[in-house]
Amino acid sequence: MSTLGYALTDTSTMLRRQLKHMQRYPSLTVMLIGMPVVFLLLFVFVFGGTLGDGLGGMTGGRDAYLAYVTPGMLMITIAGVVQGTAIGVAMDMTQGIIDRFRTMSIARVSVLTGHVLGSMIQSFLGIAVVLGVAVALGFRPEADALDWLGLVGVIALISFGLIWLTVALGITAKSVESASNSPMFLMILPFLGSAFVPTDSMPTALQYFADYQPFTPFIEVTRSLLAGTAVEGKDLALTVAWSLALALLGYVVAKKNFNKR
Amino acid sequence: MTTTKPLAIEARNLTKSYGDKVVLAGIDIAVPEGTVYSLLGPNGAGKTTTVQILSTLIQAGGGEAFVGGHHVTRDADEVRSAIGVTGQFAAVDTLLTGRENLQLMGRLHHLGKQETKRRTEELLERFDLVDAAKQTPATYSGGMKRRLDIAMCLMGNPRIIFLDEPTTGLDPRSRRTMWAIIRELVKGGTTIFLTTQYLEEADELADRIAVLDGGKLVAEGTPEQLKRMIPGGHISLRLHRADQVERAAQVLAASGSDIDQLTVQVPSDGSVDSLRKVLDTLDREGVEVEELTIHTPDLDDVFLSLTGQTTTAA
Ligand SMILES: Nc1ncnc2c1ncn2[C@@H]1O[C@H](COP(=O)(O)OP(=O)(O)OP(=O)(O)O)[C@@H](O)[C@H]1O
Ligand SMILES: [Mg+2]
């Protein structure tokens, strides 16, 4: 078999390992997915009435806010999942088996790609659950088949970028605790973007930051796709650029540090 | 170095430092194929560091090392496919069951489904882990974890095996089981690089022993050669009569004698030659020997004297 062939086989082996870990300790996955659900309920029922009126749409109120906040919640979901990635990677690196992997003739990167694919599955699982809850609360996406396809692609791309970033955070972390703290900023970023309120309601400097940080384009593309409206070229370009840049950065840093340890 | 067999492991002037701390100060290792080489040394001597360098886990600061004929850094991947490593601390996946751990190894060695399954069950059986196969190592005893660790290392049928203190923390029974496993592997032609703090273990298993202390090899040789290296070995003779004791002490240049006990001590390295010489001399003098005992210094004496530790440390 070719080197690439082995790399793929080893990756699927490591993914199986990852899935077994998740299966054996489902509490982490449940917590990672449960948190955005709680957030969604909180924002819709506690803040939704008032914030919805503030959106200035035709209907306003809770229903309008549900439609507005759901795409943001999906990104919060991903941000939560990748926090789990960093913890998982950091924890894994403390396991003795990693040293065994290092002395074996395997595609080394498969240890990391196993984590990446495992988190990818968690991410889609989380998105499905949160979207399901939103629909149960009355959210009605207007997306057509092509929009859904686009949505899957965009979610995969964004998850990919953020997951590789947090693999790097997990691997460079001095301890499991610091690995669980360092991706915290990813949870804050949606708040400093268009997740909960439109950015044009923010002070100019903040608005500028909000419009170009990764989460606003992520959220805007997702929002357009779910609403069945045209995706803005600039948002799409920023989404692709940010995702690939984060993935590349994460990959390079993670790989270097994995080999170095 | 001229050996008849090709070398499975060869290291020349290996060095390693962490910051200012010199851990290995230039060591040479040569292990012929199919033999057991034991690296013996006290805590902090650099045993684990040596294993880590030879098993491609870390890079040496200087010098060169070849394992299975491949350079450990330039051809790390070839080295990795020839070796199996059981480190000082259990390298098992604590979230997977014993069986799943072995299956994971089988898949990573690309053994194929059938072969993975067959070898997994075979190794579970051989290492007495069948009953524990469905449990995660969290519930295992230290000895069981070690056995699983070694079983995992064997999954890929390595030609060269590194065992870093494989019996530390095992009870005498488990230790003997481990020795039997190692002997069996050697019988099958596997080369073993073993580190240990137990001299008895090196004596039992190794073809050659190297004593590592403070990052330097302070002695190297067969267990017997090492034992002869330090003075203190003697032959103790018990004779029939007091006059014979005096006579024997004279002709043998005895190091001590006891007229009341009728004993004579003669310095000796414990070799057959020296023994024969003593008996021949006594024969010529017509002195009959009632009882003879040889005191070879055991490896503990060697170890303690070579590593400059006080006997109280034993
Ligand atoms: N990563 C590291 N950074 C700094 N010093 C290290 C590192 N690894 C090992 N050392 C030092 O190198 C020396 C040798 O360590 P090593 O683990 O090789 O000893 P050892 O012979 O295996 O000891 P033991 O019998 O306790 O296992 C020790 O003094 C240790 O403190
Ligand atoms: Mg050690």
Side-chain angles (χ1 to χ4, degrees), chain B residues 42-49 51 87-89 164-165 195 197:
Chain B
N43 289 138
K47 302 183 294 294
T48 299
T49 306
V51 169
Q88 188 168 359
F89 305 102
D164 196 1
E165 301 195 20
T195 80
Q197 300 184 32

Side-chain angles (χ1 to χ4, degrees), chain B residues 234-250:
Chain B
H234 61 265
I235 298 170
S236 181
L237 302 160
R238 203 165 50 187
L239 309 175
H240 289 294
R241 300 193 314 269
D243 66 308
Q244 290 181 330
V245 172
E246 278 170 11
R247 182 84 195 122
Q250 214 172 31

Side-chain angles (χ1 to χ4, degrees), chain A residues 55-71:
Chain A
L55 288 174
M58 288 185 299
T59 48
R62 216 174 300 286
D63 290 343
Y65 195 64
L66 176 63
Y68 183 83
V69 84
T70 298

Side-chain angles (χ1 to χ4, degrees), chain A residues 239-255:
Chain A
T239 297
V240 173
W242 268 120
S243 300
L244 293 181
L246 292 177
L248 186 69
L249 175 75
Y251 174 79
V252 170
V253 172
K255 195 168 178 206

